[in-house]
Amino acid sequence: MTAPAPTGNLPVAVTTFVGRRREITEVRRLMSVSRLVTLTGVGGVGKTRLALEAAAQSRRSFPDGVWLVDLAALEDGSQVAQTVANTVGVLDQSTRPPAEKVAELLLRRQALIILDNCEHLLDDCAAFADGLLRAAPGVRVLATSRRPLEITGEHLFTVPPLSMPDPEHAVDAEALGQYDAVSLLAERAAAVHPGFAVTERNHTAVARLCARLDGIPLAIELAVTRLRVLSVKELVDRLEDRFALLTSGSRVALPRQQTLRALIDWSYALCMEQERLLWTRLSVFSGGFDLPAAEGICSGDGLEPASIVDLVDQLVAQSIVIGEHRDAGVRFRLLETIRQYGRERLAESGQEAALRRRHRDFYLARAQRVADGWCGPGQEAALAQLRADHGDLRAALELCMSDPDGPQAALLMTAALRQHWYADGFLPEGRRWVDRALDLPGQPVAERTTALWVAAWVSLLQGDHDIANSRLEECEALAKEVDDRTARAVATSLRGTAALFEGDLPEAIARFEKSVVSLRESGNTHGSLMSMFQLAISLAHAGELERAAATCDQALAISQECGERWVRSYILWVLGFDTWQRGDPAAATEQTREALSIQRGFNDHVGAALMIELLAWLAAAQAEFTRAAHLLGAADSIWRKVGTTIDAFGPHLGAHHARCEQATRRALRDSQYRAAVAGTENLTVAQAIAHALNEEPKAAASSDGEPGMVLTPREREVADLVAQGRSNRAIAESLVLSPRTVDGHVERILAKLGFTARTQIAAWVTEQRARSEHADRYPQG
């Protein structure tokens, strides 16, 4: 048999290919080390387009042709081999199996076969690919499928959605241009609506649109057609019913790719019955979920608990569910489009209400386990679990608030989540939830009593003393009515907290001494530790340093014995404060650093801010004024996030803050002080802790030295222009560079200085200029 040498049949693209540089690089790398690469991913994510682009860029590696075999319209799997034979130009008219003919044609050739859309013919595609690869050693196969072929030698690449911005942090229109989803939307929108551009007026809506569409290219393409009659904001507002809205696809596309609903319908139809059932039930989750949650909520009524792990695995393989490996284990999630489709199916089944109640009960039980087992090992992991579950905790709380059976669940859950509220960075939100729960009518006394002291504690942390005292008065009255000794003891402790925050040290000390005994007698170790650390700081403020240190030592021994760490960090903070008052700022610094290092495992905004504040005071006490200013800026950034100030924690701490700030301002020039504070005022809590512990990149630590020791001359030139407020594009024009080169310079500057924002670069440049001017005016020697 002879045949003309194949040259390939890759189609000519009619639209430009946007983004995906990393993905193309990775696919090409996989093709260089594996003879079978399968691109998987949710429908509409762009598997075919990525395969075509990667193949086009790899043509030189396949001198005998790159062949696209589109299997989408094929319904009979037995025709897969014949379809490939027809595509590559097999001329043999004999009765031999078409797979043999293809293998013979390609036996000594270097070619790439793209098997596109294999998911509905999986067994036949797998058998054909396996046979071809064994028979023709120069051939490679690139497949696209919603699930793997699962044959020997297969390398998988899951095609992710396009990169998209966080709509909550869409800073400016220019910055959005770095995201592939935005670039695709802008390019396609300009085609249907000439003159369309991402501007400062619409950039927030553009970011929201891309995020709501999950960065799925097909969804973006469908949405863009509506921009002929809707603004971007109007389009976002109408996306609640996305399946009805996104119905105007290409007339020449396959029917299942013409509307978003048809696309997801196709994926749904390809699933087995139990996979479809689990898909619909998983839609009850509002955020990510773990396997125990899926097993606890979605099993039963046709799904055995033991089957959930296999079914989740199958849905991950089909890209219906996305699995994300983290340090604590694997978390799963559904893209919003997939989740909404499943929720519609769930509503049609009549099981939605019952499943939402199971969802609520599961997360209520999880929250109660954390609260009950709080004072012991595993606190960091417990809070990380609640933090990961935050979206579903919100959904469960909403159902609690509307429960026709009464407010008991709402009270239980808001109280059980108390550590999540005040030790995990959700203080303002916790205040809103617990206040809502307490406003519900017809409340059981026991549950209301506990919720009242939780509400009082949250209110105190926000500086709302009047509301806190009102909550405590009612809590004490109800606790007496139902003889709840623990609630009475906690209320006594919180009365001490209120007195401490108001500057009444004798009252605070008396209350804490009483509550320590009562809570210890009731077996509430966590409560007694909380009272002890507050007793210690009250004693330190009152000048009773020996008693303060003894109380800290006793509390540290208890926390060590039970494996508790969160209150331990506060006790070490008090010990650092006490040591400073004794006249040893160096030792106090080490104790405070130890306290703050524990906080790295938590997300406790208040604790981190208090400890960074103390480190600032200690730095000023040791004449390290630039560092003190940096730390004051870092602490202030956290206080703003919490929605409170250090003054809420009593006049004694507020006075120390004021003295430190005044001393630091006197020691530094005004421009130096402002630059130092600005350099840390936009840090996250984790970044602020790292900064306070001197854990920034080494180059950042040298930023107090000569600029040339940190940045190259070109990087310094770019930094100066950033400080002038110029955009990357304007900098590129000024320096006659490409915008991409300037992007790289800015990224390296941020990395070298340990910064996260352009404003920090500007502050750093200002500080360096001030130092240079000072050196010129006052030369040493």
Side-chain angles (χ1 to χ4, degrees):
M1 179 189 71
T2 59
T7 58
N9 69 337
L10 282 185
V12 176
V14 296
T15 57
T16 57
F17 184 80
V18 176
R20 299 283 202 197
R21 285 182 295 176
R22 292 180 181 177
E23 289 89 340
I24 290 173
T25 299
E26 179 60 13
V27 171
R28 294 185 67 189
R29 186 192 71 79
L30 288 175
M31 289 168 58
S32 71
V33 299
S34 173
R35 295 183 59 214
L36 171 60
V37 177
T38 302
L39 307 186
T40 63
V42 69
V45 79
K47 298 182 293 294
T48 298
R49 193 65 193 272
L50 177 60
L52 293 177
E53 189 67 22
Q57 294 188 24
S58 303
R59 282 181 188 269
R60 292 185 179 180
S61 300
F62 303 102
D64 295 308
V66 177
W67 298 92
L68 171 65
V69 183
D70 188 356
L71 304 171
L74 201 63
E75 297 181 2
D76 183 357
S78 65
Q79 296 299 309
V80 168
Q82 186 60 59
T83 303
V84 176
N86 294 342
T87 301
V88 300
V90 171
L91 302 180
D92 189 339
Q93 301 297 317
S94 71
T95 58
R96 287 191 304 156
E100 290 185 12
K101 301 176 186 178
V102 173
E104 183 178 346
L105 176 67
L106 301 177
L107 178 60
R108 295 179 178 83
R109 292 179 175 166
Q110 292 178 293
L112 174 66
I113 305 296
I114 304 172
L115 296 179
D116 191 29
N117 296 298
C118 298
E119 54 271 351
H120 60 305
L121 307 169
L122 212 56
D123 291 342
D124 296 283
C125 288
F128 173 78
D130 185 61
L132 177 61
L133 292 172
R134 292 177 186 277
V139 171
R140 294 177 184 251
V141 173
L142 179 61
T144 73
S145 176
R146 304 211 185 154
R147 59 168 66 188
L149 300 185
E150 296 184 344
I151 59 177
T152 302
E154 181 182 32
H155 276 58
L156 298 177
F157 180 80
T158 301
V159 181
L162 295 173
S163 62
M164 52 190 167
D166 179 350
E168 301 301 322
H169 300 91
V171 181
D172 54 48
E174 182 185 2
L176 292 187
Q178 65 184 299
Y179 297 100
D180 290 347
V182 175
S183 298
L184 178 66
L185 184 145
E187 180 171 304
R188 300 298 192 260
V192 301
H193 177 35
F196 177 88
V198 180
T199 67
E200 294 303 323
R201 296 184 62 183
N202 68 9
H203 78 279
T204 301
V206 167
R208 289 176 58 203
L209 179 60
C210 291
R212 293 289 301 279
L213 295 174
D214 298 310
I216 298 176
L218 180 62
I220 294 172
E221 301 259 11
L222 293 172
V224 158
T225 64
R226 293 299 186 186
L227 294 179
R228 289 189 289 252
V229 293
L230 296 172
S231 69
V232 180
K233 183 179 183 303
E234 290 171 331
L235 183 53
V236 172
D237 292 341
R238 290 171 178 258
L239 271 181
E240 289 302 321
D241 191 10
R242 67 185 64 197
F243 295 112
L245 179 66
L246 306 184
T247 57
S248 301
S250 168
R251 289 190 177 91
V252 298
L254 289 168
R256 65 170 182 265
Q257 295 177 341
Q258 291 182 7
T259 71
L260 192 60
R261 175 174 291 281
L263 181 72
I264 309 302
D265 278 339
W266 170 252
S267 292
Y268 190 78
L270 289 173
C271 291
M272 305 294 289
E273 181 179 354
Q274 286 198 318
E275 294 169 352
R276 290 197 292 266
L277 184 57
L278 182 57
W279 175 351
T280 61
R281 292 182 183 179
L282 291 175
S283 69
V284 76
F285 291 104
S286 295
F289 58 92
D290 55 22
L291 193 58
E295 292 169 331
I297 296 170
C298 300
S299 62
D301 299 324
L303 291 179
E304 292 296 324
S307 71
I308 299 297
V309 62
D310 290 330
L311 292 172
V312 168
D313 183 52
Q314 289 302 313
L315 291 176
V316 169
Q318 297 176 71
S319 301
I320 302 302
V321 172
I322 297 173
E324 298 172 332
H325 289 262
R326 302 180 181 179
D327 291 341
V330 182
R331 298 278 299 181
F332 303 95
R333 64 182 176 91
L334 303 177
L335 294 178
E336 184 60 20
T337 299
I338 299 295
R339 192 187 72 82
Q340 284 199 15
Y341 181 91
R343 184 59 71 91
E344 286 188 13
R345 292 281 188 170
L346 183 62
E348 292 168 2
S349 72
Q351 297 180 355
E352 183 177 14
L355 201 65
R356 288 185 67 200
R357 286 193 296 272
R358 292 180 65 179
H359 175 275
R360 176 204 62 192
D361 294 344
F362 178 89
Y363 284 104
L364 171 57
R366 179 171 277 185
Q368 288 179 314
R369 283 195 299 274
V370 171
D372 293 342
W374 176 246
C375 193
Q379 291 175 317
E380 295 98 326
L383 283 187
Q385 176 77 76
L386 295 181
R387 200 153 54 242
D389 288 336
H390 188 70
D392 285 285
L393 293 172
R394 279 178 172 170
L397 282 164
E398 283 291 356
L399 189 60
C400 288
M401 299 297 167
S402 60
D403 192 341
D405 294 333
Q408 182 180 30
L411 294 168
L412 286 171
M413 192 161 190
T414 52
L417 287 171
R418 52 188 176 270
Q419 279 82 22
H420 186 51
W421 304 142
Y422 49 69
D424 204 15
F426 295 97
L427 191 63
E429 183 174 346
R431 171 77 181 274
R432 290 192 295 272
W433 283 117
V434 74
D435 284 350
R436 280 183 64 184
L438 288 169
D439 286 341
L440 296 172
Q443 301 189 3
V445 175
E447 285 79 4
R448 181 172 178 83
T449 303
T450 302
L452 281 166
W453 67 253
V454 171
W457 181 225
V458 171
S459 299
L460 282 171
L461 291 176
Q462 288 195 307
D464 199 341
H465 295 184
D466 290 340
I467 292 296
N469 286 325
S470 174
R471 297 295 196 196
L472 287 174
E473 287 177 9
E474 185 182 356
C475 176
E476 288 168 331
L478 293 180
K480 185 176 180 180
E481 178 182 327
V482 297
D483 194 25
D484 187 338
R485 296 183 181 182
T486 297
R488 292 170 67 179
V490 172
T492 298
S493 179
L494 290 174
R495 289 289 193 186
T497 303
L500 170 62
F501 289 0
E502 291 165 5
D504 188 348
L505 296 180
E507 174 70 9
I509 291 169
R511 292 278 189 173
F512 289 134
E513 287 176 334
K514 182 180 179 180
S515 65
V516 167
V517 174
S518 300
L519 288 164
R520 190 175 296 163
E521 289 176 348
S522 67
N524 191 326
T525 305
H526 172 68
S528 65
L529 282 172
M530 288 288 291
S531 290
M532 290 176 76
F533 109 71
Q534 293 180 92
L535 172 60
I537 192 66
S538 301
L539 291 168
H541 287 322
E544 298 187 45
L545 301 182
E546 292 293 340
R547 286 186 64 197
T551 303
C552 285
D553 290 341
Q554 185 182 6
L556 286 174
I558 296 171
S559 70
Q560 179 71 28
E561 182 180 349
C562 65
E564 198 281 339
R565 284 174 56 79
W566 180 63
V567 181
R568 181 181 183 84
S569 70
Y570 281 89
I571 298 167
L572 287 166
W573 167 71
V574 177
L575 196 58
F577 181 87
D578 182 78
T579 303
W580 174 38
Q581 296 302 291
R582 290 167 177 270
D584 191 349
T589 298
E590 290 307 307
Q591 290 164 335
T592 310
R593 283 172 54 84
E594 183 181 353
L596 187 59
S597 68
I598 294 176
Q599 285 287 337
R600 284 182 300 190
F602 297 93
N603 192 39
D604 177 5
H605 290 45
V606 170
L610 287 172
M611 292 164 201
I612 293 172
E613 281 273 1
L614 179 52
L615 286 173
W617 309 342
L618 290 165
Q622 297 172 87
E624 298 174 1
F625 293 109
T626 299
R627 175 162 175 76
H630 279 302
L631 292 169
L632 287 174
D636 188 55
S637 71
I638 302 176
W639 291 129
R640 289 198 306 273
K641 291 180 177 70
V642 177
T644 188
T645 69
I646 194 169
D647 294 321
F649 299 87
H652 299 87
L653 293 180
H656 283 294
H657 171 90
R659 284 193 290 270
C660 174
E661 183 177 347
Q662 291 165 6
T664 304
R665 283 183 178 276
R666 284 196 302 268
L668 300 176
R669 295 173 56 190
D670 191 53
S671 60
Q672 291 177 304
Y673 178 83
R674 289 199 309 271
V677 170
T680 55
E681 65 182 0
N682 293 311
L683 300 180
T684 65
V685 175
Q687 290 168 338
I689 291 174
H691 180 87
L693 294 175
N694 295 320
E695 292 178 350
E696 301 92 346
K698 291 183 179 179
S702 67
S703 63
D704 287 342
E706 291 300 320
M709 295 175 65
V710 179
L711 305 181
T712 66
R714 174 64 86 183
E715 288 167 350
R716 180 54 197 258
E717 198 172 12
V718 171
D720 288 341
L721 294 172
V722 169
Q724 295 175 23
R726 298 198 192 185
S727 67
N728 283 11
R729 188 167 298 173
I731 294 172
E733 293 174 356
S734 175
L735 299 179
V736 194
L737 300 171
S738 72
R740 185 174 298 173
T741 299
V742 174
D743 291 344
H745 281 312
V746 173
E747 288 177 4
R748 284 189 291 276
I749 292 168
L750 290 169
K752 284 186 175 183
L753 298 178
F755 294 158
T756 59
R758 297 168 72 92
T759 55
Q760 293 171 278
I761 297 176
W764 182 84
V765 169
T766 302
E767 183 178 7
Q768 295 300 328
R769 287 175 181 163
R771 288 179 178 278
S772 178
E773 292 173 6
H774 181 82
D776 290 342
R777 292 181 183 179
Y778 309 105
Q780 296 184 5

